[in-house]
Amino acid sequence: MTEAADGRAPFQVLVLPYREVEGDLQFALFRRSDGAYWQGVAGGGEAGESPLLAARREAAEEAGLDGDFEFVELDARATIPVVHVTGEFTWGPDVLVIPEFTFGVRVDTSELTLSDEHTEYGWFDFDAAVKAVQWDSNRSALWELDHRLRHGKVRSA
């Protein structure tokens, strides 16, 4: 697959900010301004970016997480119909789905900065987070991140 004429790479990223408060894990979710549903930070890759670089950029743009944050690489993957991402066959008529790569990012603050893509954010425990999100891919990534954190199986990205 190649980049689109606008420099967009044919993949998406999902980033789940998390923190530990008094021994309990909490996950930040964001309410989309264009759909009013909850999800992690999500966005597309740009030309020349790896999924990790795209995840770092999206976390900075959508949540104000600019800097040296610890990212966790997850195995959870999804594929998304390209028309649900860009509204058209951005990478030609034969590219029907694109992969979504997932990451967690450790946050030591309760304050995040919203972009205009979201109307609000909230901190959720695991059970509330999996009930709140719209997409199965977010539920799978939340489960994996929660499990890795609770069982010491974190792989830094």
Side-chain angles (χ1 to χ4, degrees):
M1 284 189 263
T2 60
E3 283 120 18
D6 66 358
R8 187 159 182 170
F11 68 86
Q12 288 283 106
V13 294
L14 172 66
V15 181
L16 298 168
Y18 69 91
R19 67 182 183 171
E20 192 172 327
V21 177
E22 297 178 8
D24 293 324
L25 289 172
Q26 295 181 340
F27 304 91
L29 298 177
F30 302 80
R31 187 181 294 274
R32 293 284 305 184
S33 58
D34 60 356
Y37 55 83
W38 291 97
Q39 67 177 35
V41 169
E46 293 181 357
E49 280 185 324
S50 67
L52 177 58
L53 288 177
R56 287 185 178 280
R57 179 183 47 76
E58 288 291 340
E61 291 174 2
E62 294 187 20
L65 299 174
D66 192 16
D68 191 26
F69 289 90
E70 178 187 345
F71 278 72
V72 176
E73 182 179 5
L74 301 175
D75 291 330
R77 297 279 186 277
T79 54
I80 305 169
V82 68
V83 295
H84 292 176
V85 175
T86 64
E88 59 189 353
F89 294 96
T90 304
W91 297 277
D94 294 328
V95 179
L96 303 180
V97 297
I98 59 173
E100 177 184 67
F101 298 93
T102 59
F103 300 87
V105 59
R106 183 179 182 82
V107 177
D108 293 324
T109 180
S110 63
E111 298 299 318
L112 302 175
T113 304
L114 288 178
S115 72
D116 60 0
E117 293 182 39
H118 305 102
T119 58
E120 64 181 309
Y121 72 91
W123 289 99
F124 296 76
D125 67 20
F126 174 75
D127 290 332
V130 296
K131 289 177 185 166
V133 293
Q134 164 114 4
W135 308 110
D136 285 339
S137 65
N138 283 229
R139 279 186 276 285
S140 294
L142 279 163
W143 180 88
E144 181 187 352
L145 179 58
D146 182 74
H147 185 84
R148 286 187 179 283
L149 293 169
R150 291 185 189 283
H151 294 92
K153 304 227 181 256
V154 174
R155 293 183 319 220
S156 294

